[in-house]
Amino acid sequence: MAKHFSGEEKLRIVLESIIRGISKDEQCKKYECSETDFDAWREHLVTNGGKVFEPGYGIVAKKSIHPSSGGWFSKFVLSFSILVNIAFVSAVLAWQMKWIDLGSYLPKSQVASTAEPSSPSMSGTGVKGVETLESLSLMTKSSTAKQSTLSSSGASSRTDSSPMPVVSVPIPSSTKAPMYSGLAGRPRPTFEIDAFGVRTLGRQIVFALDASDYMTRGSRVGQFRELKEKLRLAISRLSEKNHFNLLVFRNLREIEMFGKTILLANSTNKSLALKWLKEIGEPYEKKQAASIRRPNDRDIMDKPPPGTVGPWYALYCAIKNYHPDAVFVLTGECSSMRPQDFSSVDSTKSDLRKTGDPDDLFKWELRTKTLRRTAVKWLLVSMKADEMPPTTQDELELLALARLQMTLPPKPQVSSSASWPWRDVYQKFRDALNHGESDLPIVHFVVALPEGVTWPADLSDTAGEFARMAKGQLMFTNATPP
């Protein structure tokens, strides 16, 4: 039985014989074909092979396989139709969502003609009139006047078939809703946080926490932990659209930051900040901090001027380096710190107030000795079993006198108890800050003081003055404000 070959195989057999110079006998034996067939294939190739290169060869076959896809005009019509449909659907969607106020774009006459008709029962005419939202009061007055006229003439309202006149009321341009992010009718969003009992507008928030020894030692530990818990709640409530940073300041002029820049309040950053907050002021904090290097005062680009200490130091760093919308300063008995206790602070540049004669202090102690001792004895007897007494004699005396609602004569200041001139510190802070009231962020001071302890008058006055200027508050917790 003769073997069947495809046209491609026949071509390959003939071309292989011609190109490689293989004889007809060998080629026929190799492919098991007859010499007659081989001669017919070769003759066909030589005779008709040139037609392959003739112009127009194969076009008919190609057209029959690939149908026409249309000209440029049909493509243009199809694209234009798709765009028109998309625009129409978008316009209908925007109108349904009230993103577009069509009334503000139509002429006055068209606005009046497209308004809803009034109720048939109006003025008893039974004929529909045209009514706009802004002409309700005018239509009411017109209806009342028309009824009085009809009743005086005795004419029946049913016989009056004349249509009510169309009243064109211009729509003021202010009715068009303001634009925000390209969407009409959408109000500009406001960002608000709830922290320490006050709701504060702002998107970028900085918290400055005082972790000095007077906040974390002795009987103040419990109060400091309560303050940290309130701060934890405030950070947890931040939206993911907020930005925040946490500053921790110690010993009047030492500071650490959670980040070098203000950070997005996503779940990761808030979780890391809360983990650090949990360690602050705890006995194991130094061991944990040894393995983590946080940004500190060396990373502050705009440093506070000399003589700026305590809460003013932290507030300056927060405002000048992070440009926030709101700042919360959480501090305590910073007035108990003495300038001579810190070698890093040049007290000669702070203009410390002049101190009194030591003899005046001795006379004051003699004059108030009996009263102070009696008050302390009463306090120790009246305290509850689970109540922790203050650790120092001065604190015992202050707490006892506060509970008895008694006051002592002013205590003379001598070199051993020299304090910061807070009015001068505040003035240096303001001069270096160089911000007008409109440029200030909202600033809140949250002050946690032991019972019976108050801030010096010049410190509380300056903090209250700046808080009012910055649209914030000065808040005292667990203590009577000065």
Side-chain angles (χ1 to χ4, degrees), residues 139-372:
M139 296 294 289
T140 304
K141 293 179 181 179
S142 174
S143 175
T144 305
K146 187 172 183 179
Q147 286 181 359
S148 60
T149 303
L150 290 174
S151 60
S152 61
S153 61
S156 173
S157 62
R158 287 172 297 185
T159 61
D160 184 9
S161 59
S162 60
M164 292 181 64
V166 176
V167 180
S168 298
V169 180
I171 299 179
S173 59
S174 60
T175 58
K176 186 177 180 180
M179 300 288 288
Y180 178 75
S181 298
L183 300 179
R186 291 290 184 90
R188 182 176 296 276
T190 57
F191 299 92
E192 190 178 56
I193 66 165
D194 184 4
F196 302 95
V198 294
R199 301 190 70 86
T200 304
L201 294 176
R203 185 173 186 175
Q204 301 187 102
I205 315 297
V206 173
F207 301 98
L209 175 64
D210 191 348
S212 303
D213 290 344
Y214 53 80
M215 297 286 290
T216 61
R217 300 289 177 86
S219 60
R220 300 174 176 86
V221 174
Q223 193 176 39
F224 181 70
R225 288 174 178 168
E226 291 180 6
L227 193 63
K228 288 202 305 179
E229 175 61 21
K230 293 179 181 179
L231 178 55
R232 185 194 68 80
L233 291 175
I235 295 176
S236 301
R237 292 170 179 169
L238 291 176
S239 165
E240 289 193 353
K241 296 181 180 179
N242 286 114
H243 290 73
F244 80 108
N245 206 338
L246 174 60
L247 278 61
V248 176
F249 62 100
R250 298 181 174 90
N251 300 336
L252 298 181
R253 284 183 68 90
E254 298 175 12
I255 197 165
E256 286 183 289
M257 294 90 72
F258 176 61
K260 289 186 178 181
T261 61
I262 201 159
L263 304 172
L264 184 65
N266 55 29
S267 57
T268 301
N269 289 335
K270 290 195 292 184
S271 177
L272 292 174
L274 294 178
K275 181 180 179 181
W276 182 37
L277 177 63
K278 185 178 179 181
E279 300 169 357
I280 296 172
E282 302 298 334
Y284 54 84
E285 180 189 5
K286 292 184 178 179
K287 296 180 181 179
Q288 298 284 349
S291 60
I292 302 176
R293 195 271 180 187
R294 299 190 183 278
N296 52 38
D297 50 334
R298 292 190 295 271
D299 300 301
I300 293 293
M301 301 298 295
D302 195 340
K303 298 183 183 296
T308 304
V309 295
W312 302 117
Y313 182 90
L315 185 56
Y316 184 95
C317 293
I319 296 176
K320 296 292 284 186
N321 292 275
Y322 298 106
H323 307 287
D325 299 321
V327 181
F328 288 82
V329 181
L330 319 176
T331 185
E333 196 184 358
C334 54
S335 60
S336 65
M337 307 295 279
R338 302 298 178 222
Q340 64 272 14
D341 296 336
F342 306 98
S343 59
S344 61
V345 180
D346 187 358
S347 60
T348 61
K349 296 181 180 179
S350 301
D351 299 329
L352 297 178
R353 61 164 60 98
K354 302 296 183 180
T355 58
D357 190 340
D359 291 338
D360 295 336
L361 177 61
F362 179 73
K363 293 177 182 178
W364 179 86
E365 290 177 346
L366 286 179
R367 188 165 64 251
T368 60
K369 181 178 179 180
T370 302
L371 177 59
R372 288 185 287 111

